[in-house]
Amino acid sequence: MSFLQPLFFWASALIIPLAAIYFLKVRPRRDTTTAIFLWQKIYQQKQASSLLNRLRDLLSLLLLILAFMLLTFAMAKPHFVSEDGNDLLILIDNSASMAAKSKTDSKTRLQQACKQARDIVTGLGAGKRAAIATVADQIDYKSYLSDNSKQLVRAINEIEQTEIAFNIEALEKASGSLGSQKSSRVILISDAAAFTVDTIVNGETLSLIEQDKSSDDPNSTDKPAIDDKTKKPDRQLPGGIELVKIGSEAENVGIVSCDLQEVVTENGKMSFYCRLANSGEKTIEADLLLYHMDKDESAEQLRRLEQGQFDKVPGRLIKAMPATITPGLNDPMFFHLADNLPGRYIVLLDHSDATAADNVAYLTIGDRDPIRIGVLNQDRFFFEHSIQAFSQSTGLIELKRLSTTDGDDATEIFLAEGNITPEQIAGYETSSGKRKFAAIIFNPAGESDCWTLTENTLNADEIVPKLIDKDHPAIRYYDPTVIPFYGAKELILPPEGQVILETDTGVALIWRVNSPDKDIIVVNIDPSQGEFYYSPFFPVMVYRMALTLAGREKIAVSTCSTNDSLPEHIRKTADPIAMTTPLSYTTESLQPQNLPALTTAGFYTLNQRNQATDISCSLLNTKETLLNDSILKSDAGPIRKGHSPSYWLTLLALAIVATESILYHRRKVG
Amino acid sequence: MSELLTDAAFIRRLESLWLLARKVLSGSLQSDRKSIKKGSGITFADYSEYSLGDDYRSIDWRVYARLGTLMVKLFEREEDVTIYFLLDASKSMEKKFLLARQLTAALGYIGLNILDRVVIYGLADELATIMPKSQGRGKALTMLKALENAKTFGKDSDFTTCCKQLQARHRQRGVVIIASDFLFPQGYEDGLKLLKWCNHDIFCMQVMDKTDLTSNLRGDVDLHCVESDRNMKITVTPSLSARYEATIKQYNEDFQRYCARQGIGSIYTTTDTRFDDIIQKVLRRGGLVA
């Protein structure tokens, strides 16, 4: 046995004043008698027990000294040297599935995990330290390494439930960084819901989990274990992390994916998509309800929904659909809505189960805000028609007549032939400053920092286009290699030029120059030649390039998952954003590229240039809903729980003091 | 009750007791107390053979004429008696001192009224004179003042020594009335034996206070003896308290039994009893008899 703080043994010197205080305490009260000889006579008769009486005060003092020595010993924090390392990192899973509470449990899984953590922390032997961290999509440290159990318990008590899905990669990163410390152990307290088996439904693998057997495991074989026909091998925890699994089987159904989109081809109609999952073994009948809500519904009412209080749903019920939810992941559900109402929607699975958060999904259909495209060309006709072709059908782009007085409604993307000089775009500024210059330029000419022309012109018949970036959004949905590039010129690109398409001789045909002050896509073609203006490629090319430059190349989803970042077209804007979370917290002046991830289910409001945009966020995670599919078992080694030797020594000392006090009191009262 | 022994109310109560004494004892209290000594009285008592030194005048010549033997007539000698009051003035009597003085005053008053000689001593570690030998009604007030001014004194009261001192001062037999709690560490037996040996008529008035008889002590106590100034550290449990009460009760009973065995008159009283009730009880019992 060794002592962490042997200096506390100097506290033994306090025995002297302690003895003085004791003797003061035991000083008897004075009383008088007229017949002391009678008392003497009585005590002579009691002589048999006089030895014990003489020793009684001494015994009492010895008891107190023993108690004091025990306290001194406790303060010195004795500990037993063990081989299991000195430092513990306790990772507490606070992902969405940890809110589950089965009918047999009185506490949620997170509460159970916190209790386990508290037990470990209070049993922390002297010389051992622990750190507390939560893990969901990333590791969030709640305390530094400390041997102060009170501080650690406080850190545990501050842990809050999140609505974020568990991200195994975060754990792997942590394992990598912690694995180098040999003297430490990493304990994960979790329901391990993220470590579900791969379930195959209709030929689709739903969770991308692969076998990761440790190579140094003597029992490992090349052939991984197979649970049954529908399950893939289980995934091991990252090396060095021990699992303390908590939570019993719970019946849970939930919405695992959901979307609501306008049907482009059918004006005014919307299509709803939803997929449900059931973690139990019984088929469950429940209603799927779709509400359209007003913007001013309070966040508090939404909170109540996530807590399973469906008695008062804010908004107007526009669709109710009975759902039969079979065990496991169910087939998708679709239905159409006749009314195309922009705004906020709530999808509610009306069923009481282990977790309420996955029974609600939030959807947003935004007001259309078309991309404003201005034509900077003398010959405007074909260019304007190419824009109008898609503005009427999709409404995503819009022809903008150029004006220097437009302010915030100024042109976003310029369309031109030849070149665009700074003088041409001077004055097109927003109220908050100059906007990043974006343009689509056909038939490059003149001097520009986006190209350097040579004297040669390419022969269109000899051009063999070659895709350099075949997945680039600017060329999605059409094949640019079949376009005859009449009028293409030989040129040299600047270093920041990103080639999308080039000739087999290396001359760029389509490229993008994206620098801090400009974002330009250049097409090395003379559209007036070869009747390219009449080609269907021309408006499609303009449309796709405009969407790419505006950052809207992807279809905007009506809801995001809780781990997602904000959509890219928002992050690519330049103006600062004020962001209001579903909990009504507002953060002003956020830079779009630094916007925080969406961590809370509900409706976010982004305010940029006095224009509010709604972004909805929902849990929507199969693993967090299918609670019972984890096949990982607890594999943590023995962990010391309960109280430390110091605690027991202190308790023993207090018991001795109490006993002595009772004995003393008994003497006082006779 | 007032502690003054000279106030009119107290004296009136003494007078009442004196009248009661006259009535109860049928007027035989005049200093005509019959003595067992044969002497020069007028009441014939017995005959005795003449021995050398006898008064010739007491020879009954008629008997000599008839029997031829010199016989002398013996008469009961009528004498006044000295009453010795031994008033316990030790420190242990603080709470009982008033009653003891009142009892002494009452009996002394009666004694002075029947023309006996009365002498009062304080009893502690030694004998201290409270009132020297006095006789006659005129000394009653002097006696009361002396008792009123009497204080407790001394340390470690010693009854035997005091009895020896009494005997040394007064060879004449008499009536010894002792007012005390008789809580003498060295015991009371030797002193009483000495007085008895000196042919004194002894009457013991044992005066106790209820605090002497009970113990309210609990726990660790540094017990201080008011009389001897000695200390004793003890731990008093309820059983020990009960044992103390039983012990002092047994002590008192032993004392009363001892007096009865020795032919010593005694009475036991506590401070919550009025002194005149005690005196009346004594008188109605027939006087200071065993």
Side-chain angles (χ1 to χ4, degrees), chain A residues 29 31 33-34 43 56 667 670, chain B residues 212 217 219 222 224 235 238 240:
Chain A
R29 64 188 171 92
D31 213 326
T33 184
T34 56
Y43 272 85
R56 188 192 52 202
R667 294 212 312 273
Chain B
D212 297 329
L217 304 176
D222 185 4
H224 175 71
T235 298
L240 278 179

Side-chain angles (χ1 to χ4, degrees), chain A residues 18 34 55 58 68 70 79 106 225 232 244 268 327 347 378 397 426 433 479 513 537 566 596 636:
Chain A
L18 180 78
T34 56
L55 289 176
L58 181 63
F68 186 82
L70 285 172
H79 68 97
S106 60
K232 281 190 174 180
V244 176
V347 185
Q378 295 293 331
I397 60 175
D479 184 3
V513 178
F537 286 109
L566 282 163

Side-chain angles (χ1 to χ4, degrees), chain A residues 72-276:
Chain A
T72 308
F73 216 64
M75 284 190 292
K77 295 195 174 179
H79 68 97
F80 298 97
V81 178
S82 59
E83 301 296 328
D84 57 351
N86 285 330
D87 297 337
L88 283 180
L89 171 60
I90 301 171
L91 299 173
I92 299 174
D93 178 2
N94 65 342
S95 62
S97 65
M98 294 294 282
K101 185 167 75 172
S102 70
K103 288 176 182 172
T104 55
D105 291 336
S106 60
K107 292 177 177 175
T108 66
R109 291 180 175 184
L110 180 64
Q111 288 168 333
Q112 294 174 45
C114 288
K115 184 181 180 303
Q116 288 269 0
R118 276 192 290 270
D119 287 347
I120 294 172
V121 162
T122 50
L124 211 59
K128 287 201 171 193
R129 299 177 300 169
I132 306 295
T134 59
V135 56
D137 62 330
Q138 60 183 6
I139 291 186
D140 183 11
Y141 286 90
K142 297 293 181 186
S143 79
Y144 297 106
L145 266 177
S146 170
D147 58 354
N148 186 337
S149 58
K150 198 174 175 182
Q151 180 187 340
L152 294 171
V153 167
R154 198 182 306 128
I156 292 168
N157 291 340
E158 286 172 359
I159 291 174
E160 292 180 345
Q161 178 68 53
T162 68
E163 295 170 332
I164 303 171
F166 193 92
N167 182 6
I168 299 172
E169 288 176 3
L171 209 55
E172 286 169 345
K173 284 178 188 171
S175 170
S177 62
L178 296 167
S180 58
Q181 301 171 18
K182 288 185 178 176
S183 64
S184 63
R185 293 173 69 187
V186 184
I187 309 293
L188 171 66
I189 307 175
S190 169
D191 61 354
F195 295 85
T196 54
V197 295
D198 288 354
T199 306
I200 301 173
V201 177
N202 296 336
E204 182 187 356
T205 302
L206 297 172
S207 58
L208 304 174
I209 298 175
E210 295 176 359
Q211 176 72 2
D212 183 23
K213 283 271 184 185
S214 173
S215 59
D216 56 357
D217 182 359
N219 298 322
S220 68
T221 59
D222 293 338
K223 186 179 178 183
I226 305 293
D227 289 329
D228 56 44
K229 290 177 182 177
T230 61
K231 291 178 179 178
K232 281 190 174 180
D234 64 299
R235 184 170 187 164
Q236 298 282 326
L237 276 170
I241 296 181
E242 301 167 49
L243 174 66
V244 176
K245 190 176 174 184
I246 45 96
S248 55
E249 286 206 349
E251 181 191 275
N252 189 50
V253 293
I255 304 166
V256 296
S257 59
C258 186
D259 201 4
L260 184 65
Q261 291 290 338
E262 188 180 0
V263 182
V264 176
T265 54
E266 295 184 52
N267 235 354
K269 277 194 174 179
M270 288 202 297
S271 178
F272 176 78
Y273 156 84
C274 183
R275 199 163 193 185
L276 306 176

Side-chain angles (χ1 to χ4, degrees), chain A residues 376-571:
Chain A
L376 273 174
N377 209 29
Q378 295 293 331
D379 186 6
R380 308 169 63 92
F381 180 80
F382 290 104
F383 285 96
E384 288 181 355
H385 272 78
S386 70
I387 296 165
Q388 285 169 343
F390 278 92
S391 69
Q392 289 168 2
S393 60
T394 66
L396 287 178
I397 60 175
E398 176 187 73
L399 177 63
K400 181 70 182 173
R401 302 292 174 190
L402 293 178
S403 168
T404 55
T405 59
D406 287 340
D408 290 344
D409 292 330
T411 302
E412 293 176 74
I413 296 169
F414 295 95
L415 184 60
E417 186 181 356
N419 201 350
I420 299 174
T421 60
E423 293 76 21
Q424 284 178 291
I425 58 169
Y428 301 111
E429 294 171 348
T430 63
S431 57
S432 57
K434 192 174 181 179
R435 180 177 296 164
K436 188 174 180 179
F437 172 55
I440 304 166
I441 298 176
F442 285 87
N443 194 19
E447 288 186 4
S448 171
D449 49 3
C450 296
W451 61 81
T452 303
L453 292 175
T454 62
E455 298 295 326
N456 302 327
T457 302
L458 300 176
N459 184 355
D461 297 333
E462 295 174 356
I463 293 174
V464 181
K466 190 172 75 177
L467 276 173
I468 303 301
D469 186 356
K470 63 180 180 180
D471 296 324
H472 199 281
I475 56 170
R476 194 172 296 163
Y477 303 125
Y478 65 94
D479 184 3
T481 58
V482 301
I483 299 172
F485 281 82
Y486 289 103
K489 296 162 186 166
E490 198 173 275
L491 43 76
I492 300 166
L493 296 191
E496 64 269 27
Q498 178 195 358
V499 178
I500 300 168
L501 186 76
E502 64 180 13
T503 66
D504 56 347
T505 55
V507 178
L509 297 173
I510 302 174
W511 70 96
R512 184 176 184 178
V513 178
N514 191 359
S515 61
D517 60 337
K518 60 180 178 289
D519 190 5
I520 296 172
I521 295 177
V522 186
V523 186
N524 191 4
I525 190 172
D526 182 358
S528 61
Q529 293 184 36
E531 297 184 339
F532 187 67
Y533 280 139
Y534 302 108
S535 164
F537 286 109
F538 182 53
V540 172
M541 188 179 277
V542 170
Y543 175 66
R544 289 305 309 172
M545 288 176 178
L547 289 180
T548 302
L549 290 173
R552 298 196 203 175
E553 59 272 22
K554 292 179 183 173
I555 296 171
V557 292
S558 58
T559 186
C560 304
S561 293
T562 43
N563 297 43
D564 288 348
S565 301
L566 282 163
E568 191 178 350
H569 72 274
I570 296 172
R571 286 187 282 122

